[in-house]
Amino acid sequence: MVLVEGPLNPSSGGAMGQRGERVCACFPANQNCPKVIPSTDDALTTRIVHEEDVGPCPGEKVCCFIDENFSTVQPPQGCGVQNPIPYRQPGFAEATFGEYPWMAVLLNSADDFKGAGALIAEDWVLTAAHKVYNERNLKVRLGEHDRRFPQDHSTLSHIDVPVSRTIIHPGFNNKSLANDIAVLQLQRSVNTREFPHIGIVCLPAERQLFEAENACWVTGYGKSDFDGGALQDILKEVDLPIVDSTACEIRLRRTKLGEEFILDDSFLCAGGIAGKDACTGDGGAPLVCFSERQGWTVVGLVAWGIGCAQGDVPGVYANVAQLRSFIRDNTGL
Ligand code: ARG
C-alpha cells in the first residue's frame, strides 16, 4: 500500500502494547471505557487484568482494557460492520485493530505471504484469481493486524484455517487478468460472533454501480513503493475514489499499454491520485465502500496497475458487482 500524503493520525494519548503485555487505550477520565468488545470465547477472557500492570496514560486519561467486562455487540446486518478495538494508536495510514475484520491473509504451508482476500461468509473467502491459480495447500489467516507477531500480539490472536477448495473464474485470463476472481472454501466455518476482530464483508448486488461519490478504502500489506518498497507489517489503509471506466481506459491508454488498450467490464478503476494506491503484494485485497443502507461492501479486489501511485493512472481492480454471479453460482451467496 502506498500513501505518501494525507492526514496524519494524532500521535498523542495512545498506550503502546508489547507482545504478551496487557493492552489498553487511553480515554478521557470523565467518560466511561467504550463497550465494544464481545468476549464470548474463553480464549478472550483467560488473561486477567491487573491494575498494577497498567501503563499510566498521560494527563487526565484512563486506561481502558480489553477484558471480560466489555459487552457483546452483534453486527446488525451480519456483514460489513467495522469493530475498531482499543489497542494502540495507529500510525500514519495504518488501520486500527479490528477496523477491517473481513481482511484475510493468504499463506502457503511454509507461511509465506501469498496475497490477500476478504471473508464473505463464515466459510468463504473472496480473492483475486491471479494470486491463487498456481498455489496449493493455501491457508487463510483471519484477525491479523501486525504480521510481526506470528502467534498472539494482544488478547485477540489471529486464527488460521486451511483452504479446502479453490474455485477460479472459468473466464480468468492470466495474461490480461480479465475475470480476476476466485473463491476459497474454508475447511471449517469460523464463528465470527466469537471473534470481535473477525467479521464478514457485505457483497454488492449484481451489476451494482459504485461511483466517485462513494466512500471507499483499500487495505493491504503490500509494498510501500513499486521500486524497492517492502511488504508492510501492520495493515495499511488508503481512501480512494472510484474512477469511471471510460475515463480510466483513456488514462491507461496514455501509459505503455498504448492506444489500442481495452478495459473490459470485469475491471473497475480506483485512485489515480499521486501517492495513493495499492501496490505489489496487495493483490486480492478488498476495496470496500460504505453506505448506511448496505454497510461496508466489497466492490473491488486489487488486480493490477502501472507502477504504483503515479498520479493520473488509477489502480485496476476485479469488479465484484460485475462478477457477482460467479460468486452466487459457486457459493450460494
Ligand atoms: N499485481 C499486484 C499483486 O498482485 C497488485 C498490483 C496493484 N498495483 C497497483 N498499482 N494498484 O500484488
Side-chain angles (χ1 to χ4, degrees), residues 212-232:
E213 290 68 43
N214 293 96
C216 305
W217 294 76
V218 63
T219 46
Y221 295 95
K223 287 188 174 185
S224 51
D225 198 344
F226 186 67
D227 300 303
L231 285 182
Q232 301 296 295

Side-chain angles (χ1 to χ4, degrees), residues 130-131 277-283 302-309 315-317:
H130 83 271
K131 288 276 139 177
D277 197 2
C279 199
T280 313
D282 285 319
V302 175
W304 57 273
I306 305 296
C308 299
V316 184
Y317 296 75

Side-chain angles (χ1 to χ4, degrees), residues 166-301:
T166 297
I167 308 171
I168 309 277
H169 192 292
F172 170 60
N173 179 322
N174 67 6
K175 301 216 165 55
S176 69
L177 298 193
N179 304 304
D180 192 9
I181 198 166
V183 283
L184 309 177
Q185 186 163 35
L186 303 183
Q187 217 169 75
R188 61 188 166 82
S189 282
V190 176
N191 184 355
T192 53
R193 279 160 306 170
E194 284 181 17
F195 302 104
H197 58 324
I198 299 175
I200 288 164
V201 72
C202 303
L203 287 167
E206 197 161 341
R207 294 178 200 276
Q208 186 180 345
L209 293 178
F210 294 87
E211 288 156 340
E213 290 68 43
N214 293 96
C216 305
W217 294 76
V218 63
T219 46
Y221 295 95
K223 287 188 174 185
S224 51
D225 198 344
F226 186 67
D227 300 303
L231 285 182
Q232 301 296 295
D233 291 322
I234 298 177
L235 185 62
K236 289 277 160 43
E237 59 173 15
V238 173
D239 65 309
L240 294 175
I242 303 290
V243 175
D244 162 79
S245 289
T246 309
C248 184
E249 189 178 70
I250 291 169
R251 291 196 206 173
L252 289 169
R253 284 179 175 175
R254 290 189 203 132
T255 70
K256 65 178 182 194
L257 296 172
E259 283 304 317
E260 308 289 297
F261 175 76
I262 291 172
L263 186 75
D264 80 61
D265 69 359
S266 75
F267 294 119
L268 171 139
C269 297
I273 298 168
K276 278 184 165 189
D277 197 2
C279 199
T280 313
D282 285 319
L287 172 72
V288 293
C289 304
F290 180 76
S291 72
E292 290 284 345
R293 196 173 51 81
Q294 242 177 339
W296 287 94
T297 300
V298 55
V299 167
L301 303 167

Side-chain angles (χ1 to χ4, degrees), residues 107-109 114 130-138 166:
L107 303 169
N108 67 9
S109 48
K114 286 292 162 185
H130 83 271
K131 288 276 139 177
V132 294
Y133 78 104
N134 254 337
E135 299 292 336
R136 43 194 12 254
N137 297 325
L138 281 174
T166 297

